[in-house]
Structures are given as structure tokens and as C-alpha cells.
């Protein structure tokens, strides 16, 4: 038996890692979907708002605008609650520590959560598209549908980064209330609920400092509702910049808490 | 005599050769490890080695540093000073953990996954996991495979955590307070499973604050308090001391005479009475009564483990 004691790090093959990623993501998705507080609010709120504000009075313009903006709203919500509240809770309960004590690489945990949030958002976009195309009188080409889905899902990366940062800063038992304080005003000020030119001027000036603004502009551009005179590549660059900033901040907070732990 | 002497009774015990298997290279080792959290020293220059095939119980009151030691060995935290080696590697390396299983104090496991799914997920973390049916059998979860974690009872929740610790068929297992919140029956059943694992040659470190549990399971008990090792030895050796008796009585006898009696550890005055701590209570009581017919208010009680810890930790401070 003595011979078996010293274990040299084995070179684990790609299949092993792929399997972990697939399983972790699959069960993360099942877990979140079954957690009704999360799934019903993440999918339910954008869909309910769309039914109330987007499909009323046969106003096709509203239906088009809000189809794009509520898709973004859904993705941002899923990420902030899925990662922000999810990680904070699992850490407080000791579950995250048990996972860290296993050989699962940490990054898989984050990838699984990000993909899960994207999948939840995909359900939201699908619901919104069905409602918009049937009840809302929206007409779109297949290309536009694919583009809306792709842009929405691309938001999983910056906003999961934001969720990750929130999970580190959030007091463990603060709960979703604190996230709403960030999520709702940020969505409002970025034109996710109503066109930005209807908002007070100071909010319009503030909007470009928010990642949600640039995200919304990319989605709204599909229907030609982006603010005139801004370039889409600038919005993409802004999102990349925010992602780096948020991940960097998360990394900083994480390493500092590691040093203290 | 003071508490220090009482404590030193433990420390003179030989520290090695307790079991046939406790020899050769340690499978895991804390080498002069100090761990500080801000101004709090959780572990203070602690040395701890685990040898293949032994069950070691880390015994101590809450806040003694037991969980900190386990977290260091799992690579969840880094030591402030000293080194941690597990199977010749740094446990912070994820691949080292392939051969380690851990049952930690988890207050809540995701409730919307079924028992079967939790096991299936953890199986994917290990290259050579046990079959799911085997995990179910060992953790006694038969018939509960399709139950959501949220619907399990307290004892069943502990059992699934035990099962998850074994999924990877590890050679080294850490059990942090494994029987907390369990009823007597579940506790004894878990002890059986732990013994069965040891019989397969696995090395087990468990933390507990129940002397009974350490005694029932361990080849070697390490008593820890305020981040230091206070005593280490076979259960019989540790129990021998903790199993001493506390004798309280009102007597005319001189305290120095009482101190001179066989196996007396400490004698202290408590108002009009004296309090004696002794290993062989029967002998001491016999001598007291023989020498003082007026002796009254005699009480003999077992010192709680907490008493022993108080004495031990008191000696650390002085």
C-alpha cells in the first residue's frame, strides 16, 4: 500500500474535463430551473412586462422596441441573480467550499453558471419572440431573429462578470433585495424600459457609463432604434471594456479575501 | 499540583508507533503550521502527520482549530507559516484532490437536485469514481435516490454528504464533525461505515467534540485546544486521563496528605470542602475514609470532557 501513497499529478485527458463541464452545466441548469423563485422571476418578469407594456393598444413600435430591450433585461437579470445571489448563497452555506475541496476546477463552476444564465435568458427571448411575432404584430427576418438571440446571449459574459463581482461584495445574507437596487435603476437608466430620449437629461448623460446602455443599444439597433450618431463597434468595445473592468475588480476582491482567509 | 501537571500527564505519552500501520511516510502532513486570521491565531506552530490506514480523531472544543486544520489539508486555505503536504503534493493543486474525499460542515446543499443527481454530478469530478449504486449502499440512501435534497431529513442530509465524500473512491478522507445533528442510531451506523472504510485501507481524519466518538473510531486521538496539540495517543491513553474522577468532600485531612495519595492529580480548596482530581477514585476515597471518619458530603463525579479541556487549555495559557 505504501507505494500507492505518493500520487503524481496525473495528466487528465480532455474527455475528463469535457465531462465535468457538461455535467456541471447540466445539473446547474436543472437546479436553477427547478428553483422556482429564480426561474419564475428571471423569465416571468420580462415576459409579464412585455405582455403589459409591449403588446397593448396594437402599438407595433412599442412591441418592437421592448422586444429588444426586455430581451436584454432578461439576460441581465438572470446573470445578476444567477451568479450574484447564487454564488453568495452557496458560499455562505458552505456548499461552495465542498465543491472547492473536490477536484472540479474552479473555472468550471463559473462557466456552468454563466451558460445556465444564458440558457435561462434564451427561454426568455424565445417567449418574447413568440409573443412579439404573434400578438405584437412584429415582423422580423430570420436573420434579425438570429441576431437578436446572439446579441442577447453575448450579454451573458459581461453581466456574469458583474454578477461574480456582486457575489464577492454582497454581504452573504443580503439576498436579492440588494441586487434589485443595482439591477432595476440600472435597467431604467439604460433605456431598457422606455426609450432613453424620454428620460430626464441627466440620466441620458449618465447612461453611457452603464454597461446595460451599450448592451441595449446593440439590441435596439436591430430594429433601428439605436441612438442616432453612435457606432455599434464603440458599443461592443465598451462591453468588452466593462467585462475586463468587472472581472479585474472581481479578481482583486477575490485575491484579497483569499489572502485574509 | 496545578492544571499544568494534569495536562502534562498527556504530553509525556509516546507520540508514535500506536498502530502497526502508523509507520513509514505520512500520507498527509502539517509541518509547523501557523494560521492567523487577523489577530486571531487559529493554529499555532502545529505539527500533524497522518499515516496510511489509520483513523485519527482530532478532538477539541469549538474554536480549537480542528476545522482550520482540515481546511488547510484540503488546500482551501493557505498557512500563514509552515507547509502542508498531501501525498507529496500541495493540496491547493486540484489534481491532488482526486484522491481525497471530504465531508465538511455544509448548512445547505442545493435543494432542487435529487440524491441520484448529486451523486452523478460528483462522480463526474473523479476519473475513477465508485459506481453510483455503491455510493447509495455505503451512505444508506437506498430508496431515496429520486428524492430532492430539500425533502430529506437531517440525518439523511448528513448521509448524502458522507456519500459525496466517498464518490471518488479516495484513499484519504476528511470528515469534519460527521455525526453532528444525528440521532444515536444513525451515528452508530455511520461509525460502522467509517470502520469499514478503514478496513479497506483508507486513511481517515475526523474531527469531533465527542470523546465517545473518538474513542469508538480512532487508532489515535489528537486533543487540540487554542490551536495547539495538547495531547496525543491511543484512545485508551487519552481516556485514562479524562476518565479520572472528581472527588469533592469536607474533610479534616491535610491537603498535602491528600496530594500524596496514589494517582491524585490536583487538590483544590472549594469553600469548606476540597476538590480532588484523581485517576483511581476508589483508592483515594478508601484512603480518605480510612483516615478521616468524620468525612462528609462525599461526591464523586466524572469530569466532563469540557473540564479536561479547560484544564488543558488553561495550561497552555499559563
Amino acid at each position: 500500500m505504501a507505494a500507492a501513497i505518493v500520487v503524481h499529478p496525473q495528466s487528465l485527458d480532455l474527455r475528463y474535463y469535457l465531462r465535468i463541464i457538461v455535467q456541471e452545466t447540466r445539473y446547474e441548469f436543472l437546479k436553477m430551473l427547478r428553483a422556482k423563485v429564480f426561474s419564475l422571476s428571471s423569465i416571468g418578469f420580462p415576459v409579464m412586462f412585455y405582455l403589459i407594456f409591449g403588446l397593448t393598444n396594437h402599438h407595433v413600435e412599442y412591441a418592437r422596441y421592448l422586444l429588444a430591450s426586455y430581451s436584454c433585461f432578461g439576460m441581465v437579470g438572470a446573470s445578476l441573480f444567477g451568479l450574484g445571489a447564487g454564488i453568495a448563497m452557496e458560499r455562505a452555506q458552505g456548499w461552495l467550499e465542498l465543491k472547492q475541496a473536490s477536484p472540479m476546477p474552479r473555472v468550471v463552476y463559473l462557466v456552468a453558471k454563466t451558460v445556465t444564465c444564458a440558457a435561462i435568458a434564451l427561454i426568455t427571448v424565445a417567449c418574447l419572440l413568440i409573443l412579439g411575432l404573434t400578438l405584437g404584430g412584429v415582423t422580423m427576418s430570420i436573420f434579425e431573429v438570429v441576431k437578436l438571440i446572439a446579441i442577447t446571449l453575448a450579454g451573458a459574459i459581461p453581466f456574469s462578470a458583474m454578477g461574480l463581482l456582486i457575489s464577492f461584495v454582497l454581504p452573504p445574507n443580503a439576498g436579492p433585495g440588494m441586487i434589485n437596487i443595482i439591477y432595476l435603476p440600472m435597467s431604467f437608466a439604460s433605456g431598457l424600459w422606455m426609450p432613453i430620449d424620454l428620460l430626464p437629461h441627466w440620466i441620458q448623460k449618465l447612461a453611457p457609463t452603464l454597461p446595460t446602455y451599450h448592451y441595449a443599444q446593440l439590441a435596439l439597433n436591430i430594429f433601428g432604434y439605436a441612438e442616432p450618431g453612435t457606432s455599434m463597434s464603440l458599443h461592443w468595445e465598451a462591453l468588452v471594456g466593462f467585462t475586463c473592468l468587472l472581472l479585474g475588480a472581481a479578481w482583486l476582491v477575490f485575491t484579497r479575501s483569499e489572502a485574509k482567509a | 499540583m496545578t492544571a499544568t501537571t494534569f495536562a502534562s500527564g498527556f504530553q509525556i505519552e509516546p507520540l508514535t508507533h500506536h498502530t502497526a500501520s502508523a509507520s513509514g511516510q505520512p500520507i498527509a502532513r502539517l509541518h509547523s503550521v501557523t494560521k492567523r486570521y487577523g489577530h486571531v491565531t487559529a493554529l499555532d506552530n502545529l505539527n500533524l502527520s497522518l499515516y496510511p490506514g489509520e483513523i485519527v480523531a482530532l478532538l477539541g472544543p469549538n474554536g480549537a482549530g480542528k476545522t482550520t486544520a482540515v481546511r488547510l489539508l484540503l488546500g482551501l486555505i493557505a498557512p500563514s507559516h509552515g507547509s502542508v503536504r498531501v501525498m507529496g503534493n500541495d493540496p491547493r493543486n486540484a489534481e491532488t484532490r482526486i484522491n481525497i474525499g471530504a465531508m465538511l460542515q455544509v448548512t445547505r446543499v442545493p435543494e432542487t437536485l435529487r440524491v441520484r443527481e448529486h451523486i452523478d454530478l460528483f462522480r463526474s469530478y473523479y476519473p475513477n469514481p465508485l459506481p453510483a449504486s455503491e455510493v447509495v449502499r455505503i451512505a444508506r440512501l437506498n430508496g431515496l435516490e429520486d428524492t430532492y435534497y430539500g425533502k430529506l431529513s437531517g440525518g439523511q442530509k448528513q448521509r448524502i454528504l458522507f456519500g459525496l465524500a466517498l464518490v471518488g473512491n479516495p484513499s484519504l478522507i476528511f470528515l469534519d464533525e460527521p455525526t453532528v445533528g444525528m440521532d444515536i442510531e444513525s451515528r452508530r451506523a455511520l461509525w460502522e461505515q467509517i470502520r469499514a472504510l478503514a478496513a479497506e485501507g483508507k486513511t481517515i481524519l475526523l474531527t469531533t467534540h465527542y470523546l465517545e466518538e473518538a474513542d469508538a473510531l480512532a487508532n489515535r486521538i489528537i486533543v487540540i485546544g487554542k490551536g495547539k496539540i495538547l495531547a496525543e495517543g491511543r484512545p485508551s491513553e487519552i481516556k485514562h486521563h479524562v476518565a479520572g474522577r472528581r472527588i469533592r468532600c469536607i474533610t479534616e485531612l491535610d491537603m498535602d496528605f491528600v496530594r500524596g495519595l496514589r494517582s491524585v492529580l490536583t487538590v483544590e480548596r472549594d469553600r469548606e470542602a476540597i476538590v480532588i482530581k484523581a485517576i483511581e477514585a476508589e483508592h483515594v476515597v478508601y484512603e480518605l475514609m480510612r483516615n478521616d471518619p468524620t468525612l462528609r458530603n462525599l461526591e464523586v463525579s466524572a469530569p466532563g470532557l469540557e473540564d479536561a479541556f479547560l484544564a488543558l487549555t488553561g495550561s497552555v495559557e499559563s
Side-chain angles (χ1 to χ4, degrees):
Chain A
M1 193 168 56
I5 298 158
V6 174
V7 175
H8 299 286
Q10 308 160 11
S11 53
L12 295 158
D13 58 358
L14 194 65
R15 272 222 320 270
Y16 164 78
Y17 289 108
L18 273 179
R19 193 175 138 76
I20 294 188
I21 292 173
V22 168
Q23 289 288 77
E24 183 71 24
T25 308
R26 179 176 149 213
Y27 284 121
E28 180 67 24
F29 179 71
L30 270 181
K31 178 184 96 186
M32 293 307 254
L33 196 68
R34 288 174 187 163
K36 295 196 176 59
V37 178
F38 171 76
S39 54
L40 286 185
S41 59
S42 296
I43 301 168
F45 277 113
V47 171
M48 185 179 77
F49 286 164
Y50 194 57
L51 281 168
I52 297 172
F53 301 111
L55 304 178
T56 41
N57 308 337
H58 303 289
H59 215 305
V60 180
E61 287 236 59
Y62 290 5
R64 281 154 61 90
Y65 185 96
L66 292 175
L67 174 56
S69 70
Y70 283 154
S71 295
C72 297
F73 183 64
M75 181 72 247
V76 174
S79 300
L80 295 193
F81 289 104
L83 267 87
I87 296 175
M89 198 172 72
E90 291 187 351
R91 198 176 45 192
Q93 294 168 347
W95 179 241
L96 180 55
E97 186 158 71
L98 189 71
K99 291 233 175 200
Q100 287 176 332
S102 82
M104 179 196 60
R106 284 177 179 185
V107 66
V108 174
Y109 178 78
L110 295 179
V111 168
K113 280 204 174 337
T114 305
V115 173
T116 294
C117 293
I120 298 278
L122 185 63
I123 298 175
T124 310
V125 183
C127 293
L128 295 176
L129 275 168
I130 291 166
L131 290 173
L133 293 172
T134 55
L135 302 177
V138 178
T139 47
M140 291 171 82
S141 69
I142 289 288
F143 176 68
E144 285 169 333
V145 169
V146 171
K147 205 171 164 191
L148 177 63
I149 291 173
I151 288 173
T152 304
L153 296 188
I157 293 162
F159 295 103
S160 288
M162 190 182 240
L164 181 65
L165 177 61
I166 288 173
S167 78
F168 289 140
V169 233
L170 201 69
N173 295 315
M178 289 279 281
I179 295 177
N180 271 325
I181 291 178
I182 302 167
Y183 173 45
L184 299 180
M186 186 173 74
S187 301
F188 175 75
S190 305
L192 293 185
W193 292 354
M194 57 178 75
I196 201 154
D197 47 11
L198 299 179
L199 300 177
H201 285 293
W202 67 272
I203 294 183
Q204 292 186 32
K205 287 216 179 68
L206 191 78
T209 64
L210 302 170
T212 32
Y213 164 79
H214 300 280
Y215 182 39
Q217 290 297 307
L218 289 167
L220 289 169
N221 188 48
I222 297 170
F223 298 109
Y225 290 134
E227 283 202 289
T230 59
S231 95
M232 287 308 119
S233 61
L234 205 71
H235 293 310
W236 282 115
E237 283 162 27
L239 275 188
V240 171
F242 273 113
T243 307
C244 295
L245 208 68
L246 291 162
L247 282 179
W251 177 250
L252 211 69
V253 177
F254 176 71
T255 44
R256 286 187 64 174
S257 71
E258 281 275 280
K260 263 190 285 174
Chain B
M1 281 213 190
T2 63
T4 313
T5 328
F6 183 52
S8 69
F10 291 101
Q11 287 163 338
I12 57 169
E13 300 294 345
L15 301 184
T16 50
H17 311 303
H18 288 297
T19 58
S21 54
S23 55
Q25 287 289 311
I27 189 168
R29 183 168 185 225
L30 295 179
H31 184 64
S32 350
V33 163
T34 296
K35 178 66 191 174
R36 286 193 197 89
Y37 294 102
H39 296 295
V40 182
T41 303
L43 290 182
D44 189 0
N45 199 22
L46 190 100
N47 285 298
L48 188 159
S49 293
L50 302 177
Y51 295 92
E54 64 173 350
I55 307 185
V56 174
L58 210 50
L59 180 67
N62 292 330
K66 303 187 299 281
T67 299
T68 303
V70 169
R71 296 177 77 213
L72 281 162
L73 286 164
L74 282 168
L76 294 169
I77 50 175
S80 311
H81 293 289
S83 73
V84 183
R85 303 304 276 176
V86 173
M87 296 179 216
N89 296 311
D90 185 343
R92 291 174 84 80
N93 175 350
E95 283 165 353
T96 309
R97 297 201 287 261
I98 283 172
N99 297 291
I100 301 177
M103 178 175 177
L104 302 177
Q105 298 179 59
V106 177
T107 52
R108 235 170 94 184
V109 169
E111 298 191 338
T112 51
L113 287 182
R114 299 172 205 274
V115 168
R116 178 196 305 286
E117 293 166 341
H118 274 300
I119 293 172
D120 190 36
L121 175 58
F122 266 66
R123 287 187 75 241
S124 73
Y125 298 165
Y126 300 90
N128 303 305
L130 289 177
S133 58
E134 183 69 5
V135 177
V136 167
R137 186 188 65 76
I138 297 174
R140 297 190 305 122
L141 293 164
N142 312 65
L144 296 168
E145 293 94 326
D146 288 318
T147 310
Y148 286 110
Y149 177 84
K151 303 269 186 231
L152 297 175
S153 74
Q156 291 166 343
K157 287 178 177 175
Q158 282 294 96
R159 262 143 58 192
I160 187 168
L161 286 170
F162 180 66
L164 293 181
L166 306 176
V167 161
N169 197 13
S171 48
L172 175 61
I173 303 167
F174 296 105
L175 305 170
D176 193 11
E177 305 274 354
T179 59
V180 135
M182 278 190 175
D183 57 39
I184 295 287
E185 196 189 335
S186 311
R187 176 171 295 165
R188 292 192 185 277
L190 189 70
W191 290 356
E192 279 309 308
Q193 294 301 338
I194 293 172
R195 287 195 196 101
L197 291 172
E200 288 174 33
K202 297 183 188 303
T203 311
I204 298 164
L205 177 72
L206 78 133
T207 73
T208 180
H209 52 258
Y210 303 116
L211 177 67
E212 190 200 358
E213 183 159 292
D215 179 36
L217 291 172
N219 311 113
R220 189 156 62 99
I221 296 177
I222 298 171
V223 183
I224 179 173
K226 300 209 169 141
K228 283 177 186 283
I229 290 180
L230 304 175
E232 187 173 357
R234 269 180 268 122
S236 57
E237 293 165 340
I238 300 288
K239 230 178 29 168
H240 181 59
H241 293 276
V242 181
R245 291 287 181 276
R246 179 178 176 279
I247 303 160
R248 188 177 188 280
C249 61
I250 299 174
T251 174
E252 307 290 307
L253 291 171
D254 185 52
M255 284 186 47
D256 284 327
F257 168 78
V258 179
R259 278 192 192 101
L261 293 173
R262 195 172 81 210
S263 85
V264 169
L265 297 166
T266 66
V267 181
E268 278 160 13
R269 188 155 286 285
D270 177 16
R271 281 161 296 170
E272 79 276 20
I274 59 169
V275 176
I276 306 158
K277 279 180 187 156
I279 305 293
E280 296 169 43
E282 295 80 1
H283 170 76
V284 174
V285 170
Y286 174 75
E287 287 295 323
L288 289 173
M289 295 184 74
R290 201 166 64 92
N291 287 288
D292 179 11
T294 69
L295 182 135
R296 61 210 155 88
N297 288 20
L298 176 68
E299 290 168 25
V300 180
S301 58
L305 192 56
E306 287 301 318
D307 287 348
F309 285 134
L310 282 177
L312 289 162
T313 47
S315 76
V316 173
E317 278 170 353
S318 59

